[in-house]
Amino acid sequence: MAHEHKLEIFKGLVKFKTNTQKIWGVLILLTFITVVEVILGIVKPESLSGSVFGMKALNWIFIILTIVKAYYITWDFMHMRDETKSLQRMVVWTAIFLIAYLVFILLQEGGYVFRVYDNGYIKRDF
């Protein structure tokens, strides 16, 4: 039994007639996001050097644009959009949990290593 792919992006705001048009549309979107990232990486505007939640605003922009690209690569090129809701949730929730766990571990270990180098001695030994 043939399975029809959903031919829209941006939650249905942009619709395509064929699967080939959709692939080209998503490719153009991803190329545009990549060009914006490269331009921001080369120019590094001073207005985005301010701190937002403990990190430069430019870094937040890079993180957000990278997440948007990962979303469209997974949803459109890997056909996750056409899967059942339970499989979508399973994949997304697992990734969110693992990324949150990785961030927690990196922050804990990074803070510990920073304190060791900053103070010159070990406060706690694992």
Side-chain angles (χ1 to χ4, degrees):
M1 179 185 281
H3 181 71
E4 291 297 319
H5 296 289
K6 296 176 182 148
L7 298 175
E8 69 268 348
I9 59 174
F10 297 124
K11 303 283 185 182
L13 292 175
V14 179
K15 295 181 182 180
F16 300 100
K17 293 181 179 150
T18 66
N19 211 16
T20 306
Q21 286 180 346
K22 181 181 174 194
I23 290 171
W24 280 104
V26 173
L27 179 66
I28 290 168
L29 171 70
L30 295 175
T31 303
F32 176 75
I33 293 173
T34 303
V35 167
V36 169
E37 285 179 331
V38 169
I39 290 171
L40 287 174
I42 292 171
V43 174
K44 295 180 186 171
E46 284 295 321
S47 61
L48 298 175
S49 295
S51 181
V52 178
F53 297 118
M55 198 166 43
K56 290 181 181 178
L58 186 60
N59 290 345
W60 283 113
I61 291 172
F62 286 139
I63 290 170
I64 292 168
L65 289 177
T66 301
I67 290 172
V68 168
K69 284 192 331 188
Y71 169 80
Y72 276 104
I73 288 170
T74 304
W75 245 237
D76 287 318
F77 287 127
M78 296 172 68
H79 305 288
M80 186 61 71
R81 179 184 312 246
D82 301 320
E83 296 296 338
T84 62
K85 291 288 183 193
S86 59
L87 180 63
Q88 290 176 355
R89 289 184 184 125
M90 204 174 358
V91 169
V92 171
W93 290 351
T94 303
I96 288 171
F97 170 75
L98 291 175
I99 290 169
Y101 183 62
L102 175 67
V103 167
F104 172 75
I105 290 173
L106 288 174
L107 289 174
Q108 286 295 316
E109 292 298 317
Y112 173 72
V113 170
F114 173 75
R115 286 189 299 277
V116 167
Y117 282 117
D118 193 40
N119 298 331
Y121 60 90
I122 298 174
K123 289 185 177 181
R124 62 179 184 215
D125 195 5
F126 294 102

